[in-house]
Amino acid sequence: MNVRQRKLEMIEAMNRARALEPSSFVPNKLLDTLIQKLNLKNDAELCRVLEVQPPIISKIRHRKLAVGATILLRMHEKSDLSIKELKDLSNASMH
């Protein structure tokens, strides 16, 4: 088995394990709240305000990337929401 095949198998195993884990991370509520609070139209405008590339917001929205400290601080600075409020939004239950 070559390195590429092992890497692909490892990625598949991690994805299967991730699918089995209960996750409380709900990025859509966080991102949608920011868009609403900042009177933006969409994720593209949010990217410009937060000064991040569109793939970053896309990966966060699709739960492939967690909200890092730098983006969290930018969200706080731009929205005036507290860090705790932002974390609560991203960990809200999905009911």
Side-chain angles (χ1 to χ4, degrees):
M1 182 180 303
N2 67 29
V3 173
R4 181 175 164 79
Q5 288 172 322
R6 279 190 278 175
K7 183 178 178 182
L8 289 174
E9 283 185 5
M10 186 176 290
I11 290 170
E12 288 175 20
M14 288 175 18
N15 287 337
R16 284 192 303 272
R18 190 178 299 137
L20 297 174
E21 290 177 355
S23 175
S24 62
F25 179 55
V26 185
N28 289 339
K29 184 168 183 175
L30 171 64
L31 298 176
D32 292 342
T33 300
L34 285 170
I35 288 170
Q36 181 181 8
K37 179 150 178 68
L38 299 172
N39 295 318
L40 305 175
K41 293 180 184 176
N42 52 36
D43 286 353
E45 285 190 1
L46 183 60
C47 291
R48 286 190 284 279
V49 168
L50 297 177
E51 300 172 18
V52 297
Q53 295 297 314
I56 300 296
I57 296 297
S58 177
K59 287 177 183 177
I60 290 171
R61 189 170 288 281
H62 292 97
R63 299 172 66 172
K64 295 184 188 291
L65 181 67
V67 177
T70 303
I71 294 176
L72 188 64
L73 285 171
R74 285 186 190 164
M75 289 175 173
H76 163 67
E77 290 170 351
K78 300 295 182 179
S79 70
D80 290 327
L81 291 170
S82 72
I83 299 292
K84 182 181 180 338
E85 289 173 307
L86 292 167
K87 283 184 169 185
D88 288 347
L89 284 169
S90 67
N91 292 320
S93 63
M94 294 181 71
H95 324 316

Coordinates of all heavy atoms in Angstrom, one line a residue:
M1 N 0.8 -1.2 0.0 CA 0.0 0.0 0.0 C 0.9 1.2 0.0 O 1.8 1.4 0.8 CB -0.9 0.0 1.2 CG -1.8 1.1 1.3 SD -2.9 1.2 2.8 CE -3.7 -0.4 2.7
N2 N 0.6 2.2 -0.9 CA 1.4 3.4 -1.0 C 1.0 4.4 0.0 O -0.1 4.3 0.7 CB 1.5 3.9 -2.4 CG 0.2 4.4 -2.9 OD1 -0.6 4.9 -2.1 ND2 0.0 4.3 -4.2
V3 N 1.7 5.5 0.1 CA 1.4 6.5 1.1 C 0.1 7.2 0.8 O -0.7 7.5 1.7 CB 2.6 7.6 1.1 CG1 2.2 8.8 1.9 CG2 3.9 7.0 1.5
R4 N -0.2 7.4 -0.5 CA -1.5 8.0 -0.9 C -2.7 7.2 -0.4 O -3.7 7.7 0.1 CB -1.5 8.3 -2.4 CG -2.8 9.0 -2.8 CD -2.7 9.3 -4.3 NE -3.9 9.6 -4.9 CZ -4.6 10.8 -4.8 NH1 -4.0 11.7 -4.1 NH2 -5.7 11.0 -5.4
Q5 N -2.6 5.9 -0.6 CA -3.7 5.0 -0.2 C -3.9 5.0 1.3 O -5.0 5.1 1.8 CB -3.5 3.6 -0.7 CG -3.6 3.4 -2.2 CD -3.2 2.1 -2.7 OE1 -2.2 1.5 -2.2 NE2 -3.9 1.5 -3.6
R6 N -2.8 5.0 2.0 CA -2.9 5.0 3.5 C -3.5 6.3 4.0 O -4.3 6.4 4.9 CB -1.5 4.8 4.1 CG -1.1 3.4 4.2 CD 0.1 3.2 5.0 NE 1.2 3.5 4.1 CZ 2.5 3.5 4.5 NH1 2.8 3.3 5.7 NH2 3.4 3.8 3.6
K7 N -3.1 7.4 3.3 CA -3.6 8.7 3.7 C -5.1 8.8 3.4 O -5.9 9.2 4.3 CB -2.9 9.8 2.9 CG -3.4 11.2 3.3 CD -2.6 12.3 2.5 CE -3.2 13.7 2.8 NZ -2.5 14.7 2.1
L8 N -5.6 8.3 2.3 CA -7.0 8.3 2.0 C -7.8 7.4 3.0 O -8.9 7.8 3.4 CB -7.2 7.8 0.5 CG -6.8 8.8 -0.5 CD1 -6.9 8.1 -1.9 CD2 -7.6 10.0 -0.5
E9 N -7.2 6.2 3.3 CA -7.9 5.4 4.3 C -8.0 6.1 5.7 O -9.0 5.9 6.4 CB -7.1 4.0 4.4 CG -7.4 3.1 3.3 CD -6.8 1.7 3.5 OE1 -6.2 1.5 4.6 OE2 -6.9 0.9 2.6
M10 N -6.9 6.8 6.0 CA -6.9 7.5 7.3 C -8.0 8.6 7.3 O -8.7 8.7 8.3 CB -5.6 8.1 7.6 CG -5.5 8.7 9.0 SD -3.8 9.3 9.4 CE -3.0 7.7 9.6
I11 N -8.1 9.3 6.2 CA -9.1 10.4 6.1 C -10.5 9.8 6.2 O -11.4 10.3 6.9 CB -8.9 11.2 4.8 CG1 -7.6 12.0 5.0 CG2 -10.1 12.1 4.6 CD1 -7.2 12.7 3.7
E12 N -10.7 8.7 5.5 CA -12.0 8.0 5.6 C -12.4 7.5 7.0 O -13.5 7.7 7.4 CB -12.1 6.8 4.6 CG -12.1 7.3 3.1 CD -12.0 6.1 2.2 OE1 -12.3 4.9 2.6 OE2 -11.7 6.3 1.0
A13 N -11.4 7.0 7.7 CA -11.6 6.5 9.0 C -11.9 7.7 10.0 O -12.8 7.6 10.8 CB -10.4 5.8 9.5
M14 N -11.2 8.8 9.8 CA -11.5 10.0 10.6 C -12.9 10.5 10.3 O -13.6 10.9 11.2 CB -10.5 11.1 10.4 CG -9.1 10.7 11.0 SD -7.7 11.9 10.6 CE -8.4 13.4 10.1
N15 N -13.3 10.5 9.1 CA -14.6 11.0 8.7 C -15.7 10.1 9.3 O -16.7 10.6 9.8 CB -14.8 11.1 7.2 CG -14.1 12.3 6.6 OD1 -13.8 13.3 7.3 ND2 -13.7 12.3 5.4
R16 N -15.5 8.8 9.3 CA -16.5 7.9 9.9 C -16.6 8.1 11.4 O -17.6 8.1 11.9 CB -16.1 6.4 9.6 CG -16.4 6.0 8.1 CD -16.3 4.5 8.0 NE -15.0 3.9 8.4 CZ -13.9 3.8 7.6 NH1 -14.0 4.2 6.3 NH2 -12.8 3.3 8.0
A17 N -15.4 8.3 12.0 CA -15.4 8.5 13.5 C -16.1 9.8 13.8 O -16.9 9.9 14.8 CB -14.0 8.5 14.0
R18 N -15.9 10.9 13.0 CA -16.5 12.2 13.2 C -18.0 12.1 13.1 O -18.7 12.7 13.8 CB -15.9 13.2 12.2 CG -16.3 14.6 12.6 CD -15.7 15.6 11.6 NE -14.2 15.6 11.7 CZ -13.5 15.6 10.6 NH1 -14.0 15.7 9.4 NH2 -12.2 15.5 10.7
A19 N -18.5 11.3 12.1 CA -19.9 11.1 11.9 C -20.6 10.5 13.1 O -21.7 10.7 13.4 CB -20.2 10.3 10.6
L20 N -19.8 9.6 13.8 CA -20.4 8.9 15.0 C -20.4 9.8 16.3 O -21.1 9.5 17.2 CB -19.6 7.6 15.3 CG -19.7 6.6 14.2 CD1 -18.8 5.4 14.5 CD2 -21.1 6.1 13.9
E21 N -19.5 10.8 16.3 CA -19.4 11.7 17.5 C -20.6 12.6 17.6 O -21.0 13.2 16.6 CB -18.2 12.5 17.4 CG -16.9 11.8 17.5 CD -15.7 12.7 17.4 OE1 -15.9 13.9 17.1 OE2 -14.6 12.2 17.6
P22 N -21.2 12.7 18.8 CA -22.2 13.8 18.9 C -21.5 15.1 18.9 O -20.5 15.3 19.6 CB -22.8 13.5 20.3 CG -21.8 12.7 21.0 CD -21.0 12.0 20.0
S23 N -21.9 16.0 18.1 CA -21.3 17.3 18.1 C -22.3 18.4 18.5 O -23.4 18.5 18.0 CB -20.8 17.6 16.7 OG -20.2 18.9 16.6
S24 N -21.8 19.3 19.3 CA -22.6 20.4 19.7 C -22.3 21.7 18.9 O -22.9 22.7 19.1 CB -22.5 20.7 21.2 OG -21.1 21.1 21.4
F25 N -21.3 21.6 18.0 CA -20.9 22.7 17.2 C -22.0 23.0 16.1 O -22.2 22.2 15.2 CB -19.6 22.5 16.6 CG -19.1 23.6 15.7 CD1 -19.0 24.9 16.1 CD2 -18.7 23.3 14.4 CE1 -18.5 25.9 15.3 CE2 -18.2 24.3 13.6 CZ -18.1 25.6 14.0
V26 N -22.7 24.1 16.1 CA -23.7 24.5 15.2 C -23.3 25.8 14.5 O -23.7 26.9 15.0 CB -25.1 24.6 15.9 CG1 -26.2 24.8 14.8 CG2 -25.4 23.3 16.7
P27 N -22.5 25.8 13.5 CA -22.0 27.0 12.9 C -23.1 27.9 12.2 O -22.9 29.1 12.2 CB -21.0 26.6 11.9 CG -21.4 25.2 11.5 CD -22.0 24.6 12.8
N28 N -24.1 27.3 11.7 CA -25.1 28.1 10.9 C -25.7 29.1 11.8 O -25.9 30.3 11.3 CB -26.1 27.2 10.3 CG -25.6 26.4 9.1 OD1 -24.5 26.7 8.6 ND2 -26.2 25.3 8.8
K29 N -26.1 28.8 13.0 CA -26.7 29.8 13.9 C -25.8 31.0 14.1 O -26.2 32.1 14.1 CB -27.2 29.2 15.2 CG -28.0 30.1 16.0 CD -28.7 29.4 17.2 CE -29.4 30.5 18.0 NZ -30.2 29.9 19.0
L30 N -24.5 30.6 14.4 CA -23.5 31.7 14.6 C -23.4 32.6 13.4 O -23.5 33.8 13.5 CB -22.2 31.0 15.0 CG -21.0 32.0 15.1 CD1 -21.2 33.0 16.2 CD2 -19.7 31.2 15.3
L31 N -23.1 32.0 12.3 CA -22.9 32.8 11.0 C -24.1 33.6 10.6 O -24.0 34.7 10.3 CB -22.4 31.9 9.9 CG -21.1 31.1 10.2 CD1 -20.8 30.2 9.0 CD2 -20.0 32.1 10.4
D32 N -25.3 32.9 10.7 CA -26.5 33.6 10.4 C -26.8 34.8 11.3 O -27.3 35.9 10.9 CB -27.7 32.7 10.3 CG -27.6 31.7 9.2 OD1 -26.8 31.9 8.3 OD2 -28.3 30.6 9.3
T33 N -26.5 34.6 12.6 CA -26.7 35.7 13.6 C -25.8 36.9 13.3 O -26.2 38.0 13.3 CB -26.5 35.2 15.0 OG1 -27.5 34.2 15.3 CG2 -26.7 36.3 16.0
L34 N -24.6 36.6 12.9 CA -23.6 37.6 12.6 C -24.1 38.4 11.3 O -24.0 39.6 11.3 CB -22.2 37.0 12.3 CG -21.5 36.7 13.6 CD1 -20.2 35.9 13.2 CD2 -21.1 37.9 14.4
I35 N -24.5 37.7 10.3 CA -25.0 38.3 9.1 C -26.2 39.2 9.4 O -26.2 40.3 8.9 CB -25.4 37.2 8.0 CG1 -24.1 36.5 7.5 CG2 -26.2 37.8 6.9 CD1 -24.3 35.3 6.6
Q36 N -27.1 38.7 10.2 CA -28.2 39.6 10.6 C -27.8 40.8 11.4 O -28.2 41.9 11.1 CB -29.2 38.7 11.3 CG -30.5 39.4 11.7 CD -31.4 38.6 12.5 OE1 -31.1 37.5 12.9 NE2 -32.6 39.1 12.8
K37 N -27.0 40.6 12.4 CA -26.6 41.7 13.3 C -25.8 42.8 12.6 O -25.9 43.9 12.8 CB -25.8 41.1 14.5 CG -25.3 42.2 15.4 CD -25.1 41.7 16.8 CE -24.6 42.7 17.8 NZ -25.5 43.8 18.1
L38 N -25.0 42.3 11.6 CA -24.2 43.3 10.8 C -24.9 43.8 9.6 O -24.3 44.5 8.8 CB -22.8 42.6 10.5 CG -22.0 42.2 11.7 CD1 -20.8 41.4 11.2 CD2 -21.6 43.4 12.5
N39 N -26.2 43.4 9.4 CA -26.9 43.8 8.2 C -26.2 43.5 6.9 O -26.1 44.3 6.0 CB -27.2 45.4 8.3 CG -28.1 45.7 9.5 OD1 -29.1 45.0 9.7 ND2 -27.8 46.8 10.2
L40 N -25.8 42.3 6.8 CA -25.1 41.8 5.6 C -26.1 41.0 4.8 O -27.1 40.5 5.3 CB -23.9 41.0 6.0 CG -22.9 41.7 6.9 CD1 -21.8 40.7 7.3 CD2 -22.3 42.9 6.2
K41 N -25.8 40.7 3.6 CA -26.6 39.9 2.7 C -26.3 38.5 2.7 O -27.2 37.6 2.5 CB -26.5 40.5 1.2 CG -27.1 41.9 1.1 CD -27.0 42.3 -0.3 CE -27.5 43.8 -0.5 NZ -27.3 44.3 -1.8
N42 N -25.0 38.1 2.8 CA -24.6 36.7 2.6 C -23.2 36.4 3.2 O -22.6 37.3 3.8 CB -24.7 36.4 1.1 CG -23.9 37.3 0.3 OD1 -22.8 37.8 0.7 ND2 -24.4 37.6 -0.9
D43 N -22.8 35.2 3.0 CA -21.5 34.8 3.5 C -20.3 35.6 2.9 O -19.3 35.9 3.5 CB -21.3 33.3 3.3 CG -22.1 32.4 4.2 OD1 -22.7 33.0 5.2 OD2 -22.0 31.2 4.0
A44 N -20.5 36.0 1.6 CA -19.5 36.7 0.9 C -19.2 38.0 1.6 O -18.0 38.4 1.8 CB -19.8 36.9 -0.6
E45 N -20.3 38.7 2.0 CA -20.1 40.0 2.7 C -19.5 39.8 4.1 O -18.7 40.6 4.5 CB -21.4 40.7 2.8 CG -21.9 41.4 1.5 CD -23.1 42.3 1.7 OE1 -23.6 42.5 2.8 OE2 -23.5 42.8 0.7
L46 N -19.9 38.7 4.7 CA -19.3 38.4 6.0 C -17.8 38.1 5.9 O -17.0 38.6 6.7 CB -20.0 37.1 6.6 CG -19.6 36.7 8.0 CD1 -19.8 37.8 9.0 CD2 -20.3 35.4 8.4
C47 N -17.4 37.5 4.8 CA -16.0 37.3 4.6 C -15.2 38.6 4.5 O -14.1 38.7 5.1 CB -15.7 36.5 3.3 SG -16.3 34.8 3.4
R48 N -15.8 39.5 3.8 CA -15.2 40.8 3.6 C -15.1 41.5 5.0 O -14.0 42.1 5.3 CB -15.9 41.7 2.6 CG -15.6 41.2 1.1 CD -16.2 42.2 0.1 NE -17.6 42.1 0.0 CZ -18.3 41.2 -0.8 NH1 -17.6 40.3 -1.4 NH2 -19.6 41.3 -0.8
V49 N -16.1 41.5 5.7 CA -16.1 42.2 7.0 C -15.1 41.6 8.0 O -14.4 42.3 8.7 CB -17.5 42.2 7.7 CG1 -17.5 42.6 9.1 CG2 -18.5 43.1 6.8
L50 N -15.0 40.2 8.0 CA -14.1 39.5 8.9 C -12.7 39.4 8.3 O -11.8 38.9 9.0 CB -14.7 38.1 9.2 CG -16.0 38.1 9.9 CD1 -16.4 36.6 10.1 CD2 -15.9 38.8 11.3
E51 N -12.6 39.8 7.1 CA -11.3 39.8 6.4 C -10.7 38.4 6.3 O -9.5 38.1 6.7 CB -10.3 40.7 7.1 CG -10.7 42.2 7.1 CD -9.9 43.1 7.9 OE1 -8.7 42.7 8.2 OE2 -10.4 44.2 8.2
V52 N -11.6 37.4 5.9 CA -11.1 36.1 5.7 C -11.5 35.6 4.3 O -12.5 36.2 3.7 CB -11.7 35.1 6.7 CG1 -11.3 35.4 8.1 CG2 -13.2 35.0 6.7
Q53 N -10.9 34.6 3.8 CA -11.2 34.1 2.4 C -12.5 33.3 2.5 O -12.8 32.7 3.5 CB -10.0 33.2 1.9 CG -8.7 34.0 1.7 CD -8.9 35.0 0.6 OE1 -9.4 34.8 -0.4 NE2 -8.4 36.2 0.9
P54 N -13.3 33.4 1.4 CA -14.6 32.6 1.4 C -14.5 31.1 1.8 O -15.4 30.6 2.5 CB -15.1 32.8 0.0 CG -14.5 34.2 -0.4 CD -13.1 34.2 0.2
P55 N -13.4 30.4 1.4 CA -13.4 29.0 1.8 C -13.4 28.8 3.3 O -13.9 27.8 3.8 CB -12.1 28.5 1.1 CG -11.8 29.4 0.0 CD -12.3 30.8 0.4
I56 N -12.9 29.8 4.0 CA -12.9 29.6 5.5 C -14.3 29.6 6.0 O -14.7 28.7 6.8 CB -12.0 30.8 6.1 CG1 -10.6 30.8 5.7 CG2 -12.1 30.7 7.7 CD1 -9.8 29.6 6.0
I57 N -15.1 30.6 5.6 CA -16.5 30.6 6.1 C -17.2 29.4 5.6 O -18.0 28.8 6.3 CB -17.2 31.9 5.6 CG1 -16.5 33.1 6.3 CG2 -18.7 31.9 6.0 CD1 -16.6 33.2 7.8
S58 N -17.0 29.0 4.4 CA -17.7 27.8 3.8 C -17.3 26.6 4.6 O -18.2 25.8 5.0 CB -17.2 27.6 2.4 OG -17.8 26.4 1.9
K59 N -16.1 26.4 5.0 CA -15.7 25.2 5.8 C -16.3 25.3 7.2 O -16.6 24.3 7.7 CB -14.1 25.1 5.9 CG -13.5 24.7 4.6 CD -12.0 24.7 4.6 CE -11.4 24.3 3.3 NZ -10.0 24.3 3.3
I60 N -16.4 26.5 7.8 CA -17.0 26.6 9.1 C -18.5 26.3 9.0 O -19.0 25.5 9.8 CB -16.8 28.0 9.6 CG1 -15.3 28.3 10.0 CG2 -17.7 28.3 10.8 CD1 -15.0 29.7 10.4
R61 N -19.1 26.8 8.0 CA -20.6 26.5 7.8 C -20.9 25.0 7.6 O -21.9 24.5 8.0 CB -21.1 27.3 6.6 CG -22.7 27.3 6.5 CD -23.3 28.2 5.6 NE -23.3 29.6 6.0 CZ -24.1 30.2 6.8 NH1 -25.0 29.4 7.4 NH2 -24.1 31.5 7.1
H62 N -20.0 24.3 6.9 CA -20.1 22.9 6.6 C -19.5 22.0 7.6 O -19.3 20.8 7.4 CB -19.7 22.6 5.2 CG -20.5 23.2 4.1 ND1 -20.2 24.4 3.5 CD2 -21.7 22.9 3.6 CE1 -21.1 24.8 2.7 NE2 -22.0 23.8 2.7
R63 N -19.1 22.6 8.8 CA -18.6 21.9 9.9 C -17.3 21.1 9.6 O -17.0 20.1 10.2 CB -19.6 20.9 10.5 CG -20.9 21.7 11.0 CD -22.0 20.8 11.3 NE -21.6 20.0 12.5 CZ -22.4 19.3 13.2 NH1 -23.7 19.2 12.8 NH2 -22.0 18.6 14.2
K64 N -16.5 21.6 8.7 CA -15.2 21.0 8.4 C -14.1 21.8 9.1 O -13.0 21.3 9.1 CB -15.0 21.0 6.9 CG -16.0 20.1 6.1 CD -15.7 20.1 4.7 CE -16.7 19.4 3.9 NZ -16.8 18.0 4.1
L65 N -14.4 22.9 9.7 CA -13.4 23.7 10.3 C -14.1 24.4 11.5 O -15.2 25.0 11.4 CB -12.9 24.8 9.4 CG -11.8 25.7 9.9 CD1 -10.5 25.0 10.1 CD2 -11.6 26.9 8.9
A66 N -13.4 24.3 12.7 CA -13.9 25.0 13.8 C -13.6 26.5 13.8 O -12.7 26.9 13.1 CB -13.3 24.4 15.1
V67 N -14.3 27.3 14.5 CA -14.1 28.7 14.6 C -12.8 28.9 15.5 O -12.8 28.6 16.7 CB -15.3 29.5 15.2 CG1 -14.9 30.9 15.4 CG2 -16.5 29.3 14.4
G68 N -11.8 29.4 14.9 CA -10.5 29.6 15.6 C -10.5 30.9 16.4 O -11.4 31.7 16.2
A69 N -9.5 31.0 17.2 CA -9.4 32.2 18.1 C -9.4 33.5 17.3 O -10.0 34.5 17.7 CB -8.2 32.1 19.0
T70 N -8.6 33.5 16.2 CA -8.5 34.8 15.4 C -9.8 35.2 14.9 O -10.2 36.4 15.0 CB -7.5 34.6 14.3 OG1 -6.2 34.2 14.9 CG2 -7.3 35.9 13.5
I71 N -10.6 34.3 14.3 CA -11.9 34.6 13.7 C -12.9 35.0 14.8 O -13.7 35.9 14.6 CB -12.4 33.4 12.8 CG1 -11.5 33.3 11.6 CG2 -13.8 33.7 12.4 CD1 -11.8 32.1 10.7
L72 N -12.8 34.2 15.9 CA -13.7 34.5 17.0 C -13.5 36.0 17.5 O -14.4 36.7 17.8 CB -13.5 33.5 18.1 CG -14.4 33.6 19.3 CD1 -15.8 33.2 18.8 CD2 -14.0 32.6 20.4
L73 N -12.2 36.4 17.6 CA -11.9 37.8 18.0 C -12.4 38.8 17.0 O -13.0 39.8 17.4 CB -10.4 37.9 18.3 CG -9.9 37.3 19.6 CD1 -8.4 37.4 19.6 CD2 -10.5 38.0 20.8
R74 N -12.3 38.5 15.7 CA -12.8 39.4 14.7 C -14.3 39.5 14.8 O -14.9 40.6 14.6 CB -12.3 38.9 13.3 CG -10.9 39.2 13.0 CD -10.5 38.9 11.6 NE -9.1 38.9 11.5 CZ -8.5 38.4 10.5 NH1 -9.1 37.8 9.5 NH2 -7.1 38.5 10.4
M75 N -15.0 38.3 15.0 CA -16.4 38.3 15.1 C -16.8 39.2 16.3 O -17.8 40.0 16.2 CB -16.9 36.9 15.3 CG -16.8 36.0 14.1 SD -17.3 34.3 14.5 CE -17.3 33.6 12.9
H76 N -16.1 39.1 17.4 CA -16.4 39.9 18.6 C -16.2 41.4 18.3 O -17.0 42.2 18.6 CB -15.5 39.4 19.7 CG -15.4 40.4 20.8 ND1 -16.4 40.7 21.7 CD2 -14.3 41.2 21.3 CE1 -16.0 41.6 22.6 NE2 -14.8 41.9 22.3
E77 N -15.1 41.7 17.7 CA -14.8 43.1 17.4 C -15.8 43.8 16.4 O -16.2 44.9 16.6 CB -13.4 43.3 16.8 CG -12.3 43.0 17.8 CD -10.9 42.9 17.1 OE1 -10.8 42.8 15.9 OE2 -9.9 42.8 17.9
K78 N -16.2 43.0 15.4 CA -17.1 43.6 14.4 C -18.6 43.6 14.9 O -19.3 44.5 14.5 CB -17.0 42.8 13.1 CG -15.6 42.8 12.5 CD -15.2 44.1 12.1 CE -13.8 44.1 11.4 NZ -13.3 45.3 11.0
S79 N -19.0 42.7 15.7 CA -20.4 42.6 16.1 C -20.7 43.1 17.5 O -21.9 43.3 17.8 CB -20.8 41.1 16.1 OG -20.2 40.4 17.1
D80 N -19.7 43.3 18.3 CA -19.9 43.8 19.7 C -20.6 42.7 20.5 O -21.1 43.0 21.6 CB -20.6 45.1 19.8 CG -19.8 46.3 19.3 OD1 -18.5 46.2 19.5 OD2 -20.3 47.2 18.8
L81 N -20.7 41.5 20.0 CA -21.2 40.4 20.8 C -20.0 39.9 21.7 O -18.9 39.9 21.2 CB -21.7 39.2 19.9 CG -23.0 39.5 19.1 CD1 -23.2 38.4 18.1 CD2 -24.2 39.6 20.1
S82 N -20.3 39.5 22.9 CA -19.2 39.0 23.7 C -18.7 37.6 23.2 O -19.4 36.9 22.5 CB -19.7 38.8 25.2 OG -20.6 37.7 25.3
I83 N -17.5 37.3 23.6 CA -17.0 36.0 23.3 C -17.9 34.9 23.8 O -18.2 33.9 23.0 CB -15.5 35.8 23.8 CG1 -14.6 36.9 23.3 CG2 -15.0 34.4 23.6 CD1 -14.3 36.8 21.9
K84 N -18.4 35.0 25.0 CA -19.3 34.0 25.5 C -20.6 33.9 24.6 O -21.0 32.8 24.3 CB -19.7 34.4 26.9 CG -20.6 33.3 27.6 CD -21.0 33.7 29.0 CE -21.9 32.7 29.6 NZ -22.7 31.8 28.9
E85 N -21.1 35.0 24.2 CA -22.3 35.0 23.4 C -22.0 34.3 22.0 O -22.8 33.4 21.6 CB -22.8 36.4 23.1 CG -23.5 37.1 24.2 CD -23.8 38.5 24.0 OE1 -22.9 39.3 23.5 OE2 -25.0 38.9 24.2
L86 N -20.9 34.6 21.5 CA -20.5 33.9 20.2 C -20.3 32.4 20.4 O -20.8 31.6 19.6 CB -19.2 34.5 19.7 CG -19.3 36.0 19.2 CD1 -18.0 36.6 19.0 CD2 -20.2 36.1 17.9
K87 N -19.7 32.0 21.5 CA -19.5 30.6 21.7 C -20.8 29.9 22.0 O -21.1 28.8 21.5 CB -18.6 30.4 23.0 CG -17.1 30.6 22.6 CD -16.3 30.3 23.9 CE -14.8 30.2 23.5 NZ -14.0 29.8 24.6
D88 N -21.7 30.6 22.7 CA -23.0 30.0 23.0 C -23.8 29.8 21.7 O -24.5 28.8 21.5 CB -23.8 30.9 23.9 CG -23.3 30.8 25.4 OD1 -22.5 29.9 25.7 OD2 -23.7 31.7 26.2
L89 N -23.7 30.8 20.8 CA -24.4 30.6 19.5 C -23.8 29.5 18.7 O -24.6 28.8 18.0 CB -24.2 31.9 18.6 CG -25.0 33.1 19.0 CD1 -24.6 34.4 18.3 CD2 -26.5 32.8 18.7
S90 N -22.5 29.2 18.7 CA -21.9 28.1 18.0 C -22.1 26.8 18.6 O -22.0 25.8 18.0 CB -20.4 28.4 17.7 OG -19.7 28.3 18.9
N91 N -22.5 26.8 19.9 CA -22.8 25.5 20.6 C -24.2 25.3 20.9 O -24.6 24.4 21.7 CB -22.0 25.5 21.9 CG -20.5 25.3 21.6 OD1 -20.1 24.6 20.7 ND2 -19.7 26.0 22.4
A92 N -25.1 26.1 20.3 CA -26.5 26.0 20.6 C -27.1 24.6 20.1 O -26.6 24.0 19.2 CB -27.3 27.1 19.8
S93 N -28.1 24.2 20.8 CA -28.7 22.9 20.4 C -29.4 23.1 19.1 O -29.8 24.2 18.7 CB -29.6 22.4 21.4 OG -30.7 23.2 21.6
M94 N -29.6 22.0 18.4 CA -30.2 22.1 17.0 C -31.7 21.9 17.0 O -32.3 21.6 16.0 CB -29.6 21.0 16.1 CG -28.1 21.3 15.9 SD -27.4 20.0 14.8 CE -28.1 20.4 13.2
H95 N -32.4 22.1 18.2 CA -33.9 21.9 18.2 C -34.5 22.9 17.3 O -34.3 24.1 17.5 CB -34.5 21.9 19.5 CG -33.7 21.4 20.7 ND1 -33.0 20.2 20.6 CD2 -33.5 21.8 21.9 CE1 -32.5 20.0 21.8 NE2 -32.7 20.9 22.6

